[in-house]
C-alpha cells in the first residue's frame, strides 16, 4: 500500500507566514523559518513553500527566506511563486528546493512544463492549479487566484500531465480556509483525467476530512495550512488517527 502524505503549506508574503479564506483577507500568522523547523520535528512528510504574491507583483521569488527555511528541514521541500523560466527552476533548486511548483508561469508558457521535465525530470515538476467553479465549470485561475483565465481546469490538468508534470497540487478556491472538508467533487474529477500523484489542498478542518480524502482513489496527499499553524490539528495525532482508520501513513 502506498503511504499517504501529510503536507503543511507555508504561504509567505513579505517574509511572513500568512493565511486567508477563499484566497482573500490574508492575515499575518508567524515566522516561516520557525514554522518550518516546527514541522520538520512534528512529523510532516513534506513541506510546501509559496511566495504567494510573486506572480501578481511580477517579481522573482524571495530567495533569502527560502534559503533559511531549507536549512531548517530534512524533509522534501516544494517551492512555488514567480516561477516563469528554467532559470527560476535552477535558482530555487540551488536554494534547497527538491521540487518546483509552477502555476501562472506555466499558464503563460505551457512549454515551460515540457522544458523543465526534460531538464530536471518529471519528479521535479509540480503543476499547481488554483480552481474555482464558474458557471458550472471548473475554471483555472492565475496570479494567486486573482485572475480567471477562462481555461477549463480539467483539460489543463490533462495537458499538464501529458507535458511532463509529475505531480498535481489541486487548490480549491471554493473551499480554501473554510475548514468544512476537501473539495471531493473537484478532486474526483481531476483524478479521472490525470494519472499522477494528486495533492489535495483547500478545506481541511479536522482529522475526519483527511480520512474522507484518502478513501477516494487517486489521492496521494493532503495539504493544509491554518489548522496546522494554529495547532488545531497536530500532525502526529492526525497520523495516529489515520492509521487507526486503516490509512497507511509514516509515523
Amino acid at each position: 500500500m502506498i503511504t499517504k502524505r501529510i503536507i503543511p503549506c507555508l504561504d509567505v508574503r513579505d517574509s511572513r507566514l500568512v493565511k486567508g479564506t477563499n484566497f482573500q483577507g490574508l492575515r499575518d500568522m508567524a515566522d516561516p523559518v520557525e514554522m518550518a523547523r516546527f514541522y520538520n520535528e512534528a512529523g510532516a512528510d513534506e513541506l510546501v513553500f509559496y511566495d504567494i504574491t510573486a506572480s501578481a507583483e511580477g517579481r522573482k521569488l524571495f530567495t533569502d527566506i527560502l534559503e533559511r527555511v531549507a536549512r531548517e528541514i530534512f524533509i522534501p521541500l516544494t517551492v512555488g511563486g514567480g516561477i516563469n523560466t528554467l532559470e527560476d527552476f535552477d535558482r530555487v533548486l540551488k536554494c534547497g528546493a527538491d521540487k518546483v511548483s509552477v502555476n501562472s508561469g506555466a499558464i503563460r508558457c505551457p512549454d515551460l512544463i515540457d522544458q523543465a521535465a526534460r531538464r530536471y525530470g518529471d519528479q521535479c515538476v509540480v503543476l499547481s492549479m488554483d480552481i474555482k467553479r464558474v458557471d458550472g465549470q471548473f475554471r483555472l485561475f492565475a496570479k494567486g487566484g486573482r485572475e480567471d483565465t477562462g481555461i477549463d481546469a480539467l483539460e489543463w490538468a490533462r495537458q499538464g500531465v501529458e507535458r511532463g508534470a509529475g505531480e498535481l497540487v489541486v487548490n480549491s478556491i471554493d473551499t480554501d480556509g473554510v475548514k468544512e472538508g476537501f473539495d471531493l467533487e473537484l478532486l474526483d474529477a481531476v483524478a479521472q483525467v490525470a494519472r499522477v500523484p494528486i495533492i489535495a489542498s483547500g478545506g481541511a478542518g479536522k482529522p475526519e476530512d483527511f480520512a474522507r480524502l484518502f478513501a477516494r482513489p487517486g489521492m496521494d496527499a493532503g495539504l493544509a495550512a491554518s489548522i496546522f499553524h494554529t495547532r488545531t490539528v497536530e500532525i502526529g495525532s492526525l497520523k495516529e488517527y489515520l492509521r487507526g482508520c486503516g490509512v497507511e501513513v509514516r509515523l
Side-chain angles (χ1 to χ4, degrees), residues 105-120:
I107 294 170
R108 284 190 295 272
C109 179
D111 284 345
L112 178 62
I113 303 172
D114 309 70
Q115 295 166 7
R118 285 195 297 268
R119 177 175 293 188
Y120 302 107

Side-chain angles (χ1 to χ4, degrees), residues 30-97:
D31 174 6
V33 179
E34 292 180 1
M35 293 303 291
R37 184 185 306 119
F38 167 75
Y39 287 130
N40 184 74
E41 297 170 353
D45 296 297
E46 298 185 14
L47 189 65
V48 168
F49 177 108
Y50 287 140
D51 184 337
I52 61 171
T53 58
S55 291
E57 295 172 0
R59 59 170 172 79
K60 294 184 181 299
L61 181 144
F62 290 127
T63 54
D64 54 346
I65 191 73
L66 170 58
E67 290 175 339
R68 292 172 57 204
V69 164
R71 285 196 294 267
E72 294 294 333
I73 66 174
F74 300 94
I75 53 178
L77 174 63
T78 298
V79 176
I83 305 297
N84 298 296
T85 65
L86 288 182
E87 289 71 26
D88 292 330
F89 266 80
D90 192 59
R91 188 162 51 90
V92 298
L93 289 170
K94 287 178 178 177
C95 287

Side-chain angles (χ1 to χ4, degrees), residues 133-195:
R133 291 167 177 79
V134 178
D135 298 328
Q137 180 187 48
F138 290 123
R139 195 78 61 79
L140 185 70
F141 278 64
K143 297 182 179 179
R146 297 169 178 82
E147 178 182 293
D148 183 353
T149 66
I151 297 172
D152 182 300
L154 301 182
E155 176 60 20
W156 177 241
R158 186 190 65 76
Q159 290 183 24
V161 172
E162 285 185 355
R163 287 179 176 276
E167 194 167 64
L168 299 179
V169 176
V170 180
N171 306 301
S172 173
I173 297 175
D174 293 312
T175 61
D176 175 70
V178 178
K179 301 180 184 178
E180 293 183 355
F182 291 99
D183 194 335
L184 299 179
E185 180 187 25
L186 167 61
L187 293 163
D188 286 343
V190 173
Q192 289 295 314
V193 300
R195 304 298 182 183

